[in-house]
Amino acid sequence: MSQWKTTPLHGDHIKLGAKMIPFGGWDMPVQYSGIIAEHTATREAAGLFDVSHMGEIFLEGPPSDLLHYLESVTCNSVSSLSEGQVQYSAIINENGGIVDDITLYKFNDRKYMICANASNVDSVANHLSKNLPSNSGIKLENQSNDWHQIAIQGPKADQILSNYLNRDLSKIGYYKFEANMNGNESEKMILSRTGYTGEDGFEIYTSNQSGLKLWRELLEAGKPHGLLPAGLGARDTLRIEAKYPLYGHELNETRTPVQSGIGWTVKEKEVKFPKYELIIGEKLHGAVRRVTAFELSEPGVPRENMPVLDSAGKQIGITTSGTFSPSLKKGLGLAWIDSKSINHEEPILIEIRGQSKNAIVFTKPFVSGSIRKN
């Protein structure tokens, strides 16, 4: 028996010829037809991703108590959320580090959902439970085993899913969602215009039984449009091109959100999260070290844990992620470096297998995809 957890789609991945690897405690597909083919399909048409390893934690309770609690454990402004809106945020530990980066869904004043990373679901649930105020009436329930999640991403994702559901999905704005939670188990669905690729698309939460049917039928419905099943390999190249961080690489329990490169999620607010003054100070005045992006100016493929040097050859940091970009045909990545070196197009060096390669700091996303921020 495998030591790794499997999603309900595991058998389908095997039938599709996927190469499987362990990831965050799960046996997941890294590729089907090939990373470049899947990456290109997502950028130009659509890719279909199994993300059922992600976690779903629901919170319900009295509106004022629930809002105060959520404000106290996350760095973004929960009070700014409207019903049907999703928010990218981070749960902050007692030292100012990140328990996990999350998406927070607001159903109404009494009900929210947190989508957590696969490897961190238990940590998030335990942290939230530990910090739950007594006698608040807030109910916390980890429903991760009850939900199936797939993501359809790419410029044709809206068209494919709209045709399949026979619905106009254009009214669901970026980081907004619709939910049907009142029917029987097979009919429940949360449909959000969110993703992790830099492209337009949706993340679809259903029951496990409905998720299997949806995956299989979307693969067929999307074929004429160029849709391909896509694995973790393409997910990684796509997210690096979009300059999205990954927990365990750019984000961890010791770096603050500002240091991690997601300082834009940090908001000044009345209810203080842990190490509030420190993190707000970093946002206002800068951090000594932080994560930024870079691109090579000459051939080479950067990977994680490679030295980053200044133009004089002094080490100023280390890479946290790296890849060869299928879209841009060059090496690029993210790195943890001295903040004084973070200026757009600042020349740096990446040491790849003992050779120093010329690169520049790149503070903007590498690729502007089909996301419609409306």
Side-chain angles (χ1 to χ4, degrees):
M1 186 174 180
S2 172
Q3 61 179 312
W4 311 111
K5 298 177 184 178
T6 58
T7 75
L9 288 171
H10 188 267
D12 285 54
H13 299 320
I14 301 301
K15 290 178 182 177
L16 288 167
K19 178 182 178 182
M20 309 296 290
I21 64 167
F23 177 81
W26 295 76
D27 193 29
M28 295 295 293
V30 67
Q31 64 180 49
Y32 304 85
S33 53
I35 293 173
I36 293 178
E38 295 160 27
H39 176 109
T40 303
T42 306
R43 285 276 181 250
E44 297 180 357
L48 192 64
F49 299 80
D50 178 11
V51 285
S52 286
H53 57 317
M54 303 290 280
E56 295 83 19
I57 299 170
F58 286 79
L59 299 106
E60 296 187 58
S64 59
D65 291 343
L66 184 54
L67 177 62
H68 188 280
Y69 169 66
L70 289 171
E71 294 280 29
S72 73
V73 294
T74 66
C75 62
N76 211 330
S77 173
V78 184
S79 64
S80 67
L81 277 174
S82 56
E83 291 187 11
Q85 187 174 3
V86 188
Q87 182 181 77
Y88 180 68
S89 188
I91 296 174
I92 310 301
N93 64 28
E94 60 274 12
N95 298 315
I98 298 174
V99 179
D100 197 20
D101 62 320
I102 61 166
T103 45
L104 179 65
Y105 288 66
K106 180 177 181 177
F107 293 86
N108 53 55
D109 289 342
R110 300 184 63 88
K111 182 175 182 177
Y112 294 78
M113 181 187 81
I114 286 173
C115 180
N117 283 299
S119 60
N120 290 341
V121 177
D122 291 340
S123 297
V124 169
N126 291 337
H127 180 87
L128 292 174
S129 296
K130 184 178 69 174
N131 289 279
L132 201 63
S134 58
N135 303 318
S136 65
I138 298 172
K139 177 185 175 184
L140 184 152
E141 187 175 3
N142 183 355
Q143 296 184 13
S144 301
N145 292 333
D146 302 327
W147 287 90
H148 190 278
Q149 188 188 160
I150 60 177
I152 182 169
Q153 301 280 293
K156 295 184 181 179
D158 189 313
Q159 178 187 357
I160 293 168
L161 190 57
S162 292
N163 290 343
Y164 171 79
L165 295 174
N166 194 26
R167 288 179 53 195
D168 178 10
L169 301 178
S170 63
K171 293 181 181 179
I172 303 178
Y174 184 56
Y175 264 66
K176 301 290 178 61
F177 74 98
E178 291 183 357
N180 173 22
M181 308 283 281
N182 300 318
N184 58 45
E185 183 70 11
S186 63
E187 293 176 341
K188 70 178 184 180
M189 176 182 286
I190 301 171
L191 184 63
S192 66
R193 193 180 287 270
T194 50
Y196 193 54
T197 63
E199 296 293 337
D200 188 26
F202 297 88
E203 292 176 310
I204 312 164
Y205 303 78
T206 63
S207 67
N208 289 322
Q209 181 181 359
S210 296
L212 287 167
K213 179 175 181 286
L214 183 62
W215 169 271
R216 293 164 184 170
E217 292 182 353
L218 277 178
L219 282 179
E220 290 301 313
K223 274 184 182 178
H225 302 278
L227 177 144
L228 289 178
L232 293 173
R235 186 168 175 259
D236 200 50
T237 56
L238 290 159
R239 69 97 185 170
I240 292 174
E241 286 185 351
K243 215 181 78 169
Y244 292 163
L246 178 63
Y247 198 93
H249 292 253
E250 289 71 45
L251 313 174
N252 61 37
E253 61 185 6
T254 63
R255 294 176 191 151
T256 69
V258 175
Q259 294 167 7
S260 302
I262 58 168
W264 59 272
T265 65
V266 174
K267 301 295 191 298
E268 294 185 60
K269 51 187 183 179
E270 291 184 9
V271 180
K272 307 296 191 291
F273 49 82
K275 297 295 182 181
Y276 177 86
E277 300 299 338
L278 166 68
I279 295 171
I280 290 295
E282 287 182 335
K283 182 170 182 177
L284 295 175
H285 307 296
V288 176
R289 302 194 89 194
R290 60 176 293 187
V291 171
T292 193
F294 66 88
E295 66 174 27
L296 293 186
S297 308
E298 59 180 305
V301 181
R303 299 298 184 192
E304 184 184 7
N305 293 327
M306 291 181 169
V308 180
L309 317 173
D310 63 17
S311 55
K314 177 184 175 182
Q315 184 166 350
I316 55 172
I318 194 164
T319 59
T320 53
S321 296
T323 191
F324 177 79
S325 165
S327 300
L328 303 177
K329 312 300 183 191
K330 63 174 66 174
L332 47 82
L334 297 159
W336 170 241
I337 66 176
D338 296 341
S339 63
K340 63 183 179 182
S341 304
I342 301 177
N343 294 302
H344 190 61
E345 297 187 340
E346 182 88 16
I348 56 173
L349 299 166
I350 309 296
E351 191 174 290
I352 301 177
R353 291 182 292 277
Q355 293 187 336
S356 296
K357 300 286 186 177
N358 290 307
I360 59 170
V361 172
F362 207 88
T363 58
K364 304 172 183 177
F366 297 106
V367 173
S368 297
S370 56
I371 292 173
R372 300 190 311 229
K373 295 188 177 181
N374 55 6

